[in-house]
Amino acid sequence: MTWAIPCPQQPSLPIVGSKDRFPVRRIYCVGQNYAAHAREMGSNPDQEPPFFFSKPADALVADGATIPYPPGTENLHHEAELVVAIGNGGASIPRETALDHVWGYAVGNDLTRRDLQAAAKKIGRPWDMSKGFDNSAPCAPLHPASSTGHLTSGAINLTVNGETRQSSNLSDLIWSVADVIAYLSTLVELMPGDLIFTGTPEGVGPLVPGDVCVVEIEGLGKLTTRIGK
Ligand code: MN
């Protein structure tokens, strides 16, 4: 058997302290998982269960990359997020053992075409083109959980051109990493290679051509993304 066209490349992440790479299967994202961000998006964080959307795995962007300003938008937004990498799959995973399924953690940026998202919300259409566009998933190298331990608290910050835009703590997550894995795995079977972007704190805002956006999470280092002109 031969492929009819050249086989698409396997998306992957580098691993801190290793020459191996982590193959990425799917990217799931959690919506509105910090109370103050849910409020700034017009929702009530006390009343709503977690909800999910996806990005294609080939939307990953390496640390330090310059990406073109995306087409189809006039309001590209940054979203600083903790990214969880799944090492052992499962369905209906109990909350108590959920962290055993985590392979590692990374710093991510859930880039969003906010104007397209707002238009989709207004008329009840899907979010795919506002969230799952090309280069929409910058992600730093993965830290094995065997070296970092599991992250339940720690500062999460985002700067644009050196100015702080987002500043919070992982302890402010409404749904913890264990909660997210438990809940998501009741909807889909999680598999090795899946990533979960766990949601962003308040302070989301626009990126424009020429901006340098840096996300930092205590214990995981930084993710730098430049927006091309
Ligand atoms: Mn997000």
Side-chain angles (χ1 to χ4, degrees), residues 33-37 80 153-158 164-174 199-203 216-218:
N33 201 15
Y34 290 79
H37 173 63
S153 67
I156 176 168
N157 298 299
L158 181 146
T164 299
R165 297 271 191 89
Q166 295 184 271
S167 182
S168 187
N169 197 289
L170 300 178
S171 60
D172 288 342
L173 280 167
I174 297 171
T200 197
E202 69 279 14
E216 184 168 14
I217 296 177
E218 198 177 336

Side-chain angles (χ1 to χ4, degrees), residues 29-31 53 79 81 110 112 131 199-200:
C29 305
V30 187
F53 56 91
E79 295 193 355
E81 307 206 2
D110 168 18
T112 302
K131 288 290 196 177
T200 197

Side-chain angles (χ1 to χ4, degrees), residues 47-87:
Q47 290 181 346
E48 295 176 18
F51 66 94
F52 303 92
F53 56 91
S54 298
K55 292 174 185 274
D58 69 356
L60 283 171
V61 175
D63 179 38
T66 299
I67 63 166
Y69 191 89
T73 185
E74 292 180 349
N75 197 18
L76 175 69
H77 271 205
H78 55 75
E79 295 193 355
E81 307 206 2
L82 171 69
V83 178
V84 176
I86 298 296

Side-chain angles (χ1 to χ4, degrees), residues 71-217:
T73 185
E74 292 180 349
N75 197 18
L76 175 69
H77 271 205
H78 55 75
E79 295 193 355
E81 307 206 2
L82 171 69
V83 178
V84 176
I86 298 296
N88 302 307
S92 297
I93 296 167
R95 194 194 170 286
E96 293 70 31
T97 54
L99 293 181
D100 298 343
H101 295 258
V102 175
W103 193 91
Y105 295 95
V107 182
N109 193 343
D110 168 18
L111 294 178
T112 302
R113 294 194 281 210
R114 192 71 71 200
D115 43 0
L116 298 193
Q117 185 195 33
K121 280 182 177 179
K122 202 170 176 180
I123 52 177
R125 285 191 181 158
W127 286 13
D128 300 48
M129 290 299 112
S130 64
K131 288 290 196 177
F133 53 95
D134 296 341
N135 301 310
S136 60
C139 190
L142 200 51
H143 291 253
S146 56
S147 66
T148 59
H150 290 291
L151 304 181
T152 51
S153 67
I156 176 168
N157 298 299
L158 181 146
T159 63
V160 179
N161 306 326
E163 182 186 315
T164 299
R165 297 271 191 89
Q166 295 184 271
S167 182
S168 187
N169 197 289
L170 300 178
S171 60
D172 288 342
L173 280 167
I174 297 171
W175 304 92
S176 69
V177 170
D179 292 334
V180 166
I181 290 170
Y183 200 100
L184 179 57
S185 70
T186 67
L187 299 170
V188 288
E189 181 177 1
L190 293 175
M191 298 290 280
D194 289 344
L195 300 182
I196 306 171
F197 279 58
T198 56
T200 197
E202 69 279 14
V204 300
L207 293 168
V208 299
D211 279 351
V212 180
C213 185
V214 178
V215 187
E216 184 168 14
I217 296 177

